[in-house]
Structure formats: structure tokens, C-alpha cells
Amino acid sequence: MDFSLSQEQEMFREYVRKYLTDMEQMKVARDYIDNKIEQVKTVLSELHELGCTQLNIPEQYDGMGLGKLDLVPIMEEMGRALVPGLHLETSAFAVPIIEQFGTTEQKVMYLPQIASGEASFTIAWLEPGRSYKQQGIQVKATLINETVVINGVKTQVPDVELAQYLVVPVLINDEVTVVIVDKSTSGITLRDQKGFDETRKLTEVTFDNVEIPVHQIIGPIGDGWGIIQEGLLSYNAALSSVAVGAMEHIVEMASEYAKIREQFGNPIGRFQAIKHRLADMKLDLETARSLSYYANWALETASEDRIEAICSARIFATQSFIRLSAQNIQIHGGIGFTEEIDCHLFVKRARFYENYLGSIEQYYEQAIESLNWEVSEKSIEKETILSTQ
């Protein structure tokens, strides 16, 4: 089984890497932290012009009609530079569910907008005091004739400022249903929230009798949980690629610093402790890369083991990302804790992904279920406790 990227995929990667290098790589993330939103939007717009948002959209909707594996090098480059924005939520979550479950009218409306870079999607899922499990979805919507009326609060919604649409799971007749809501719809109130990862800005979204047309429901009413799970498979496969790109950058940073930082008259890279740590980091990186490639291949080919493959890739890539970013700070020593060096940005992004759209514990459970093993009763009890808060 050959997982190496094709010549075309490598060429596309080089285009994106060259552009982000010209943009000084991490400067885009730092501009976002400094609230230089227009500069960030310009960079994202130029990435759209390179074709990053068109890759996995069918040709009849102005896309390139390529597969999920073609997203791998792009997501790795996005992760490498910690590019802020909604490329994961849009290309790896919204596009797959619209393409798979949307009506023809929905595809005609949304997919060309994404392909042209006019529209991005964020996911308004988490609710105050609840989790990313099915029981955590409690915001209710009422169906009145041809209108859906939504009331409730979603919290920690990422990068709303860069989004035009929200993907919102709600309860209609006590069944999970997915709707798409235009951010500018009357009745929506936004409130900024603080987060430890400044490259992902969080917002609380309040729906107060928000009315949307019934044709903005994705799939049948009550099928929302299954639709979300399908979207998460694409999302997590792409997320593992993002983590691999970030880890590759971390290993390079640590290796370069070990060559120039001297102790006792020698570069610290000559000491066995640093050599072993760098070797372990490289081993984690290549293992995560292999799992990521296989997960994306399993997704594209609809392999029977795709769920466990994708969950395994998400778990290992997320945990390795956290571990490598922490070790990078250790190798840099005291300077690694300062704002001037990029080390802390990778730690914060790694911790953000740890529990975003599902915890590591949840994905262990999902992998176990897909293998027909028994799920621990403790996790069920924990969700019950959370849902009563």
C-alpha cells in the first residue's frame, strides 16, 4: 500500500508553503492575535485564490472535484504555520455534510460560495455546562409551517468573525437536527469569550427567536446525530494532518535550536539527553504521519475500518502534538516560555484541539465501539452528571 503523495499533490504543497513562507509563516497567526483581522482576511483570500478551498468541491459547483487525500498536504501546511481561520470547519466538515446530505438547492447555494472563498462555516455545537456528546445538545428549535424558530445559547464557537454561516445542531421534536444559520440573521447575539489559544477566537452565540427557512435543515429532521458523526470523520482525518504539519515545524524548531544553543562550550544537540529527545519527537511525528495518511485513505475509499483508523489517528496525533510542543519548550529552556518565541503558540493550539469537537476519551470510546468491544460504564455516568448541570 503506497501512501506517498503524487507529484501534483507535492507541487500544490510547495505553492502553499512558498506563499506562507513569503507571508513569514507564523506572522499570520500573530496578526490574528493582535486583532489585525483585515490583514488575516487578505491572506486567507489569497489562499483561496491558490485553490485551497476548491479542492474537494465537485466541478459542477465550481470546485476541482478532487478527493479527500488531496486535502492532506494543504492541511499539513495550514498546521505548520498555525494559519488561523475555518479551513477545517469549512472544507473538512461543512463541505462533506452538504455534499452528502444536502439538497440540490443547498449545494447550489453553499458550495460555489465556499469554492470562491466568499463563505466560511463555523460550528456552533457546545452548550454551557455540557459536552460534545449527543446528550449535550439541548438547544431547542420549533418547526412552524415553513420556518424553524431557534432559542438557546451555544458557547465557545470558534472564529465567528471570519464566518458567514453557522452549522448548528438543535433539537426539533426532541431529535437532533442540523441547520445552517446565516450569521447576520435577526435575533442572534454575539459575545466575545476568552480562550487560552489566542489564534482561535471564541464567541458565545445566543439565539432569541431566530427564524430560518425550513430549507436550511441539512438532511431529514431527526437524522442530525448521524450527519454530525459523518462530518466528524472527515474533520478528524483532516485534523490529524493539521497536527502532523504542526509537529513537523516543532521538530525543525527544536533541531535548529539544539544546533545553535551552547552549554559548556558545545551545542546542546551533542548531549545524549537532547539527542534521545529529538529522536523520540521524530518517531512520534512519523508515526502520526503514517496514521494520518491511512486515516485519510480509509475515508476516501470508505474502508470498513475507517472509524477506528480515523479515531486512532485523531487520538495519537492530538496526544503527540501536545507532547512534542511541551518538549520543544523544554529544549528551548527559559526562552521557550517567552512571547517572542513561537513555542507557546504550538502548546496552546495543541491543547485547544485536545477537547475540541470531542475529547480524547470520547474517541477512545468510539474506536472501542467500532471494534465491538464493551464501553466503560464510567463514561456513561460522567455524561449523565454533565447533562444535569
Side-chain angles (χ1 to χ4, degrees), residues 68-106:
K68 295 175 174 60
L69 278 169
D70 295 290
L71 281 178
V72 170
I74 308 307
M75 291 300 169
E76 287 185 358
E77 292 308 309
M78 296 284 192
R80 186 181 171 84
L82 295 184
V83 175
L86 296 162
H87 38 279
L88 268 173
E89 287 80 357
T90 303
S91 296
F93 188 88
V95 169
I97 65 171
I98 292 171
E99 190 179 352
Q100 187 173 352
F101 302 102
T103 62
T104 301
E105 291 73 18
Q106 288 169 342

Side-chain angles (χ1 to χ4, degrees), residues 74-351:
I74 308 307
M75 291 300 169
E76 287 185 358
E77 292 308 309
M78 296 284 192
R80 186 181 171 84
L82 295 184
V83 175
L86 296 162
H87 38 279
L88 268 173
E89 287 80 357
T90 303
S91 296
F93 188 88
V95 169
I97 65 171
I98 292 171
E99 190 179 352
Q100 187 173 352
F101 302 102
T103 62
T104 301
E105 291 73 18
Q106 288 169 342
K107 294 174 186 175
V108 169
M109 179 174 181
Y110 298 119
L111 295 182
Q113 289 187 59
I114 296 171
S116 65
E118 296 172 23
S120 293
F121 287 67
T122 188
I123 304 172
W125 179 348
L126 192 64
E127 298 175 19
R130 301 190 184 278
S131 72
Y132 283 110
K133 292 190 175 182
Q134 185 171 358
Q135 301 93 319
I137 300 171
Q138 295 295 322
V139 166
K140 295 188 183 300
T142 307
L143 192 59
I144 303 174
N145 297 323
E146 294 299 310
T147 301
V148 178
V149 182
I150 307 172
N151 282 288
V153 179
K154 298 286 186 178
T155 188
Q156 298 181 32
V157 184
D159 303 319
V160 173
E161 193 166 5
L162 298 174
Q164 286 70 45
Y165 298 104
L166 313 172
V167 178
V168 189
V170 296
L171 290 180
I172 297 181
N173 300 328
D174 293 327
E175 293 182 307
V176 177
T177 303
V178 175
V179 297
I180 292 179
V181 181
D182 191 318
K183 187 180 73 174
S184 61
T185 306
S186 177
I188 291 179
T189 305
L190 307 178
R191 185 175 70 86
D192 292 343
Q193 294 180 300
K194 289 186 177 179
F196 56 82
D197 179 9
E198 301 99 325
T199 64
R200 302 300 311 261
K201 297 188 184 300
L202 302 178
T203 301
E204 181 184 85
V205 182
T206 301
F207 298 87
D208 183 11
N209 287 318
V210 173
E211 297 182 2
I212 62 168
V214 71
H215 62 71
Q216 288 179 215
I217 294 175
I218 298 292
I221 293 173
D223 284 3
W225 187 247
I227 292 171
I228 289 172
Q229 295 310 302
E230 283 297 317
L232 284 179
L233 289 178
S234 298
Y235 176 88
N236 286 320
L239 173 59
S240 64
S241 300
V242 170
V244 166
M247 284 190 281
E248 187 177 61
H249 193 167
I250 289 170
V251 171
E252 290 174 5
M253 286 174 67
S255 301
E256 288 301 315
Y257 189 74
K259 292 177 186 174
I260 60 173
R261 178 74 171 93
E262 292 190 355
Q263 280 287 354
F264 309 113
N266 287 300
I268 61 173
R270 288 188 179 178
F271 302 142
Q272 285 295 325
I274 301 296
K275 284 182 181 178
H276 288 168
R277 182 164 290 186
L278 289 171
D280 288 342
M281 292 168 70
K282 181 70 172 173
L283 183 61
D284 272 351
L285 166 62
E286 295 307 327
T287 304
R289 194 194 305 275
S290 298
L291 288 170
S292 164
Y293 283 8
Y294 184 75
N296 282 280
W297 176 85
L299 180 68
E300 179 154 296
T301 60
S303 172
E304 289 184 0
D305 63 347
R306 64 186 186 133
I307 295 177
E308 48 265 45
I310 292 168
C311 289
S312 300
R314 153 103 191 204
I315 293 167
F316 189 86
T318 306
Q319 291 181 321
S320 298
F321 189 7
I322 294 169
R323 189 162 53 244
L324 263 64
S325 57
Q327 290 172 341
N328 187 34
I329 285 187
Q330 292 292 321
I331 289 175
H332 277 75
I335 196 173
F337 290 91
T338 63
E339 290 284 335
E340 288 73 17
I341 306 296
D342 294 331
C343 301
H344 69 102
L345 297 177
F346 286 93
V347 174
K348 292 170 181 173
R349 181 64 72 88
R351 288 294 182 183

Side-chain angles (χ1 to χ4, degrees), residues 39-95:
Q39 295 180 26
V40 174
K41 286 182 177 178
T42 300
V43 171
L44 295 177
S45 173
E46 289 174 355
L47 283 170
H48 299 323
E49 290 176 10
L50 285 175
C52 292
T53 55
Q54 303 169 18
L55 279 174
N56 61 337
I57 292 178
E59 291 179 337
Q60 65 264 40
Y61 303 114
D62 303 334
M64 295 183 184
L66 300 177
K68 295 175 174 60
L69 278 169
D70 295 290
L71 281 178
V72 170
I74 308 307
M75 291 300 169
E76 287 185 358
E77 292 308 309
M78 296 284 192
R80 186 181 171 84
L82 295 184
V83 175
L86 296 162
H87 38 279
L88 268 173
E89 287 80 357
T90 303
S91 296
F93 188 88
V95 169

